[in-house]
Amino acid sequence: MRLVLHALPLLLATSPLQADDAVELELCFNYGCVATQTVSYSQQHMALLRDGLLQAADAAEERARLAGAVARMYRWAGEQSPIHVDRAGDFLDDGAYGRMDCIDHAHTTERMLERLQQTGALRFHRVSGIERRRSWLIMQHFSATVEETGSGHRWAVDTWFRDHAEPAVVMDIDEWKNGSYPDE
């Protein structure tokens, strides 16, 4: 009995999240994850996101819905933190407390995707880490990624290209790595 009581917290900590669980998430901002802040998503928020993503009939639709789900998570996080000042790219919000570069976006988006995955909201994809692309010798850019479970194909989920709480850009990883931008 004593062993069971000691193991219970470990079992609870590693069990998958349910859509009706409130979730905390650590954001990072101010370029290079210099600042962090924890935000909370309510049970209703998580259920709304999960239910919307589970309506996807296939992987393509799930990616489209994922772009909007991540935008909602950013919007709700911006209501609790200074990241609502963030603008697309790195220069439109220069100097603002709460600004985010691609490193901040990649880490924060990856954490959001992980929370969605933990609630069982992703049926056709799994979180596959942060990817880096380089162009020329010194320019680099980072993005969170997902992998399609059926084909293994990877996609960048990049929120850096857009203003705060606009839908994420979900782009083929090879196109993204080759330096493509969403509006080209």
Side-chain angles (χ1 to χ4, degrees), residues 17-18 21-25 39-43 46 115 119:
L17 293 172
Q18 300 299 312
D21 289 338
V23 170
E24 288 190 341
L25 180 109
V39 297
S40 297
Y41 299 100
S42 70
Q43 295 174 349
M46 296 311 295
R115 293 304 181 273
T119 65

Side-chain angles (χ1 to χ4, degrees), residues 151-167:
S151 68
H153 191 83
R154 294 181 65 219
W155 304 84
V157 181
D158 198 333
T159 53
W160 177 83
F161 290 115
R162 304 275 189 246
D163 283 348
H164 173 74
E166 290 185 9

Side-chain angles (χ1 to χ4, degrees), residues 29 56 68 130 141 149 180 182 184:
F29 53 93
I130 294 174
H141 182 62
T149 55
S180 290
E184 290 181 338

Side-chain angles (χ1 to χ4, degrees), residues 131-143 173-181:
E131 192 71 46
R132 176 177 67 174
R133 74 179 188 189
R134 293 183 196 177
S135 56
W136 302 316
L137 192 53
I138 56 171
M139 301 292 288
Q140 60 183 354
H141 182 62
F142 296 86
S143 179
I173 193 69
D174 293 326
E175 290 178 25
W176 181 87
K177 281 188 126 186
N178 286 330
S180 290
Y181 281 78

Side-chain angles (χ1 to χ4, degrees), residues 20-96:
D20 58 351
D21 289 338
V23 170
E24 288 190 341
L25 180 109
E26 186 177 76
L27 320 162
C28 67
F29 53 93
N30 281 352
Y31 289 17
C33 290
V34 169
T36 62
Q37 183 172 333
T38 301
V39 297
S40 297
Y41 299 100
S42 70
Q43 295 174 349
Q44 293 81 11
H45 286 146
M46 296 311 295
L48 181 67
L49 296 169
R50 183 174 186 267
D51 292 348
L53 284 162
L54 290 177
Q55 291 177 23
D58 57 27
E61 185 179 354
E62 186 172 84
R63 287 190 299 276
R65 289 177 176 272
L66 192 57
V70 169
R72 282 183 167 186
M73 293 183 83
Y74 269 95
R75 183 171 47 256
W76 294 327
E79 293 170 359
Q80 304 170 56
S81 73
I83 68 167
H84 60 87
V85 302
D86 186 52
R87 297 296 170 257
D90 286 342
F91 303 109
L92 298 175
D93 55 9
D94 192 36

